[in-house]
Amino acid sequence: PVMRMTSGSAGYDLHAACDGEVVVEPGKAVLVPAGFEMAVPPGYEAQIRPRSGLALKSRIGLLNSPGTIDSDYRGEVGVILFNFGDEDFIVSRGDRIAQMVICSLPSARLVETEVLESTVRGPGGFGHTGRGEG
């Protein structure tokens, strides 16, 4: 079942719905079925996110993270597990493999323009604001 572990949990735990065991080899990705379909309401998305315990203990993460389930998708939910570690990772049916958070989407209108207003940061990116002086 898809459920939250505690009343304060933001995410719903997703469990592997594979037949038998699935081996995720080091440096490889595997699509693991979660065993359910869902209808996300318009104006929302479901985000599939890694589990911190798997990341820390087993170096297992998700490619395409967070994954998005759109409101018009009607197939089975799957989780793309990636093994960042050095050893095989075994997934068994029922294992908690990811978490799902339901998020509302803001309504935004994109406007094409030739000029952007300037900011203090300007075009600096990729770590620009994290540099210390000295």
Side-chain angles (χ1 to χ4, degrees):
V2 178
M3 58 188 291
R4 291 179 171 146
M5 287 301 287
T6 68
S7 62
S9 296
Y12 294 86
D13 283 332
L14 301 187
H15 299 261
C18 49
D19 294 326
E21 294 182 339
V22 173
V23 177
V24 187
E25 297 175 12
K28 302 290 182 182
V30 175
L31 179 62
V32 179
F36 69 96
E37 297 175 358
M38 64 186 299
V40 177
Y44 291 83
E45 69 166 327
Q47 293 184 357
I48 308 302
R49 300 179 181 182
R51 294 191 62 238
S52 58
L54 282 182
L56 179 63
K57 296 174 187 168
S58 302
R59 298 181 62 194
I60 297 298
L62 305 184
L63 290 183
N64 191 34
S65 179
T68 294
I69 301 172
D70 297 306
S71 65
D72 57 352
Y73 177 69
R74 293 297 183 271
E76 181 176 10
V77 172
V79 177
I80 305 170
L81 293 181
F82 187 83
N83 187 343
F84 291 94
D86 301 321
E87 299 177 8
D88 287 352
F89 180 76
I90 308 297
V91 179
S92 299
R93 185 175 185 86
D95 287 351
R96 290 186 298 160
I97 55 172
Q99 59 183 318
M100 178 177 67
V101 175
I102 308 298
C103 300
S104 64
L105 299 172
S107 180
R109 186 173 63 90
L110 303 180
V111 178
E112 188 173 341
T113 182
E114 297 291 326
V115 179
L116 298 176
E117 66 180 69
S118 64
T119 65
V120 172
R121 179 178 178 176
F126 294 109
H128 175 76
T129 60
R131 291 189 202 146
E133 296 293 324

